[in-house]
Amino acid sequence: MIDKELLARTVAESIKDSDIFIVDITVGADNAIVVELDSPEGIDIDTCAAITRRIEEVFDRDNEDYSLEVGSAGLTSPFKVRGQYEKNIGNQVEVLTKDGRKLKGTLTAVGDDDFTIAIVKKVKEPGKKRPVEVEEPLTMKMADTKHVIYLIDFK
């Protein structure tokens, strides 16, 4: 079985002098290794190839066979680590809460275990015929969400 702690240390050492961060590392029962990475500027194929080579130096396929996939976290995949929230400050996100509410707004701030989104609401002001749009901040605990994803909008 692949040593996941050694794998995590190997990846961490490979990215230590960069702004790249680990999103997730999984090792399946059949030794299928998947390493998801991200950075504020994104991850390029050369970076993935260099990290792949480093992992292959440490884990000899002759001793234990495995499959290896190193890539960036997908654009539409849910946020898993704080770095993904920080990367998307100022972007539109969709939040699915544990109680089933779906919220859309602009990610404005990230704390240690919470984040704030600005939600646009329509408010009827006295003396006006039509409601006006008002941004309202909403702070949520990360633990209270099922997922938060980058919202792709083609408007």
Side-chain angles (χ1 to χ4, degrees):
M1 185 68 174
I2 298 292
D3 182 350
K4 190 171 178 179
E5 289 181 26
L6 176 59
L7 177 62
R9 282 195 309 270
T10 302
V11 174
E13 289 171 9
S14 300
I15 62 175
K16 70 180 175 190
D17 294 327
S18 68
D19 60 355
I20 299 170
F21 53 90
I22 298 170
V23 173
D24 196 17
I25 296 176
T26 58
V27 179
D30 58 347
N31 282 346
I33 301 170
V34 178
V35 178
E36 286 182 275
L37 305 169
D38 207 348
S39 83
E41 285 76 43
I43 303 292
D44 62 27
I45 191 75
D46 294 332
T47 302
C48 293
I51 294 168
T52 298
R53 284 190 296 275
R54 178 65 187 129
I55 292 169
E56 289 173 338
E57 289 172 4
V58 174
F59 294 90
D60 185 6
R61 288 183 196 260
D62 291 335
N63 292 336
E64 188 167 18
D65 194 28
Y66 59 88
S67 65
L68 176 60
E69 179 183 330
V70 177
S72 75
L75 183 63
T76 59
S77 62
F79 299 171
K80 295 179 182 176
V81 296
R82 186 168 190 252
Q84 290 176 293
Y85 287 87
E86 291 172 348
K87 174 184 176 176
N88 284 287
I89 290 178
N91 292 331
Q92 291 286 314
V93 295
E94 179 181 276
V95 179
L96 180 61
T97 64
K98 286 193 175 174
D99 62 5
R101 294 180 298 146
K102 191 180 276 191
L103 307 168
K104 294 179 183 178
T106 303
L107 184 62
T108 58
V110 179
D112 289 334
D113 63 347
D114 62 1
F115 61 95
T116 303
I117 59 173
I119 298 174
V120 176
K121 290 190 171 190
K122 291 187 178 184
V123 178
K124 177 86 166 114
E125 290 188 356
K128 302 251 180 162
K129 288 185 176 183
R130 297 180 184 200
V132 266
E133 290 184 347
V134 177
E135 273 195 4
E136 184 177 292
L138 175 64
T139 301
M140 303 183 70
K141 296 279 185 196
M142 291 177 192
D144 293 338
T145 65
K146 283 189 178 179
H147 73 248
V148 178
I149 58 172
Y150 174 76
L151 184 62
I152 300 172
D153 192 5
F154 296 105
K155 287 185 182 177

